[in-house]
Amino acid sequence: MLISHRKNFIYTKTNKTGGTSVEAFFESYCMPEGQFTPSHGREETISEAGIIGFRGKGDGNSFEWRHHMPARQIREKIGADIWNSYFKFCVVRNPFDRAVSSFYFRCDAVKKKTYNDTHPEIFEQWLEENRLGGTARHFSIDGKMCLDFLIRYEHLHEDLETVCQRLDIPWDPEALPKYKSKSRPPEAKPHRLYTAKSRAIVEERLQEEIELLGYEFPEA
């Protein structure tokens, strides 16, 4: 998560949406000018310029500020005045597609296979046996949207350009890092991977996220 006092914005970080890359793109504006160096990980950083939540191994619960903090918790810690006056945004993604990316990122059984096909039976079993965390807590409070803008993963660059224009930040697509982007094979599309059962699991577990964001199952 990011809070920039230099540019008056708050960024909440969701899971498997390209969130680390977007976070890294904007975090220089949460540090005093001249102190930023690119890094995949980041220690908790607090200064007069802003706040960068801990981004590293583990859940970061020992830190006051950490990545993937819920919006409600950020609001409580930063206070209503800053929360209400700063521009708030995050990245969201079709939950059915996000579940596939979580699967390939976290499932060791799949990583050991040659990626010459999709694995619907393993995906279904993984969904049955593992917790699939939702992202609604990062953009909603009490079931209501609490951010000013949602960057849609499906048109990431266009929406990032919109945010940069709003914040008076130069937009350079080449400056957007590509972290955690190699675990999923390109042929692993939702319409090839889902069974009726696995689709029902995602619909049930991520119902709030699906409804708030207005996504449907991608048929192709």
Side-chain angles (χ1 to χ4, degrees), residues 16 21 38 66 109 112:
K16 301 312 298 172
S21 298
R66 64 190 185 280
K112 295 175 183 178

Side-chain angles (χ1 to χ4, degrees), residues 5-133:
H5 299 312
R6 288 175 53 195
K7 290 294 185 177
N8 295 350
F9 70 75
I10 296 173
Y11 170 76
T12 67
K13 185 182 178 186
T14 51
N15 298 302
K16 301 312 298 172
T17 60
T20 299
S21 298
V22 174
E23 187 173 50
F25 179 85
F26 285 105
E27 67 186 4
S28 65
Y29 299 98
C30 306
M31 296 178 173
E33 293 189 59
Q35 292 191 11
F36 172 75
T37 55
S39 177
H40 188 178
R42 183 70 64 187
E43 292 298 319
E44 179 186 49
T45 304
I46 304 172
S47 70
E48 71 279 4
I51 299 170
I52 302 173
F54 169 79
R55 184 174 72 244
K57 294 183 179 180
D59 55 23
N61 285 333
S62 61
F63 295 89
E64 180 181 8
W65 300 96
R66 64 190 185 280
H67 64 168
H68 301 309
M69 284 178 66
R72 180 192 298 274
Q73 191 173 8
I74 297 172
R75 184 181 67 175
E76 290 173 353
K77 285 182 173 293
I78 201 63
D81 288 345
I82 290 179
W83 177 265
N84 292 331
S85 62
Y86 280 22
F87 180 74
K88 300 173 289 295
F89 65 99
C90 75
V91 187
V92 298
R93 185 177 190 173
N94 188 309
F96 296 99
D97 190 50
R98 189 175 67 79
V100 174
S101 286
S102 294
F103 166 60
Y104 278 99
F105 182 69
R106 294 166 56 190
C107 184
D108 291 337
V110 174
K111 290 181 181 180
K112 295 175 183 178
K113 290 180 176 290
T114 301
Y115 288 144
N116 57 4
D117 198 1
T118 54
H119 309 280
E121 72 288 346
I122 302 177
F123 180 53
E124 180 183 292
Q125 181 181 2
W126 180 82
L127 285 172
E128 289 183 299
E129 298 176 351
N130 292 272
R131 175 181 175 271
L132 182 61

Side-chain angles (χ1 to χ4, degrees), residues 139-203:
F139 53 77
S140 67
I141 297 175
D142 295 330
K144 297 180 179 180
M145 189 68 63
C146 65
L147 304 186
D148 301 304
F149 189 81
L150 299 178
I151 297 170
R152 302 274 175 171
Y153 180 87
E154 296 78 19
H155 34 90
L156 183 66
H157 283 202
E158 294 93 331
D159 286 354
L160 278 170
E161 184 174 12
T162 297
V163 170
C164 287
Q165 290 174 348
R166 168 64 175 76
L167 297 174
D168 193 26
I169 289 174
W171 165 238
D172 178 8
E174 299 300 320
L176 181 68
K178 295 179 175 61
Y179 294 135
K180 303 179 183 177
S181 61
K182 297 182 180 180
S183 59
R184 174 177 172 176
E187 68 271 17
K189 305 296 184 183
H191 70 281
R192 298 185 61 192
L193 197 62
Y194 275 84
T195 63
K197 186 174 183 179
S198 57
R199 179 171 171 175
I201 291 172
V202 172
E203 287 173 343

